[in-house]
Amino acid sequence: MRFTVATAILAATLVLAGCQKEEDATMPSPYALTADAMGRYCGMNVLEHPGPKGQIILQDIPEPIWFSSARDTVAFTMLPEEPKDVAAIYVSDMGAAPSWGEPGAQNWIDATKAFYVIGSKVRGGMGAEEAVPFSSERAARDFAERNGGRVTGFEQIPADYVLGTGASEYGAGIETESHGEAQTRG
């Protein structure tokens, strides 16, 4: 009897592990940033702007939608008129970037798992305030200590920070509507 119960538990564990791997496998891989990448909102070459970049891959479209900033990438997910069939969202891991001017071509991280610094003194593409992404919370905190701002997760990025209404308040840590709340209203 023990052998049967142990075998059943092992089988259930393997099935659950297989399901997790299958879920991970369905998320498409990020594309390498090239000189052909044109920004969704600015219509300019993404490489012409400093700071972190973003890409969103939709379920039925095999090409990424490129963004000149991580902040624009997050904005896409908040805007009600944009497609909601998102298969993957990636942003530059600025902890692995060669420099602010060269955010890297292949150091992409899952945007929903990144740590963001908002309200810092550093400006992103087009000179706007940026949501600076990092794969490591420690790297995000170090960046915030050097450049001001505060660390937050993807779902907690305030909609008014990303969409441009009152962005300058965020260095002080003022709490307002979060990304997750804005998404449920849309």
Side-chain angles (χ1 to χ4, degrees):
M1 184 87 159
R2 273 188 172 197
F3 181 71
T4 307
V5 171
T7 304
I9 291 171
L10 177 61
T13 303
L14 291 174
V15 168
L16 289 174
C19 289
Q20 180 63 39
K21 286 183 181 181
E22 188 175 309
E23 282 179 23
D24 293 344
T26 60
M27 188 169 148
S29 298
Y31 288 76
L33 182 59
T34 68
D36 295 330
M38 302 301 278
R40 168 78 167 208
Y41 297 128
C42 67
M44 298 170 68
N45 186 295
V46 171
L47 295 174
E48 292 178 11
H49 307 288
K53 310 297 177 229
Q55 61 176 288
I56 291 181
I57 304 167
L58 300 177
Q59 290 175 4
D60 296 326
I61 299 175
E63 297 291 321
I65 299 170
W66 293 103
F67 299 90
S68 298
S69 70
R71 184 175 170 189
D72 284 354
T73 310
V74 175
F76 180 96
T77 69
M78 294 179 175
L79 295 170
E81 65 272 14
E82 295 293 5
K84 300 302 174 208
D85 60 336
V86 173
I89 309 169
Y90 294 105
V91 289
S92 305
D93 178 0
M94 294 308 287
S99 68
W100 189 255
E102 279 184 64
Q106 297 193 32
N107 52 314
W108 299 105
I109 54 174
D110 180 341
T112 64
K113 296 178 180 174
F115 298 92
Y116 295 87
V117 176
I118 62 171
S120 76
K121 65 181 178 184
V122 180
R123 296 293 178 255
M126 307 297 286
E129 288 191 286
E130 182 60 277
V132 185
F134 295 88
S135 61
S136 153
E137 184 175 9
R138 179 74 255 154
R141 293 202 181 285
D142 290 346
F143 180 89
E145 285 175 21
R146 288 188 312 274
N147 299 290
R150 66 180 171 103
V151 177
T152 187
F154 181 80
E155 291 294 327
Q156 291 73 42
I157 298 172
D160 56 348
Y161 179 80
V162 171
L163 300 175
T165 56
S168 62
E169 300 173 356
Y170 292 95
I174 296 170
E175 297 295 323
T176 63
E177 180 180 28
S178 72
H179 171 102
E181 291 168 351
Q183 224 175 11
T184 57
R185 286 185 298 129

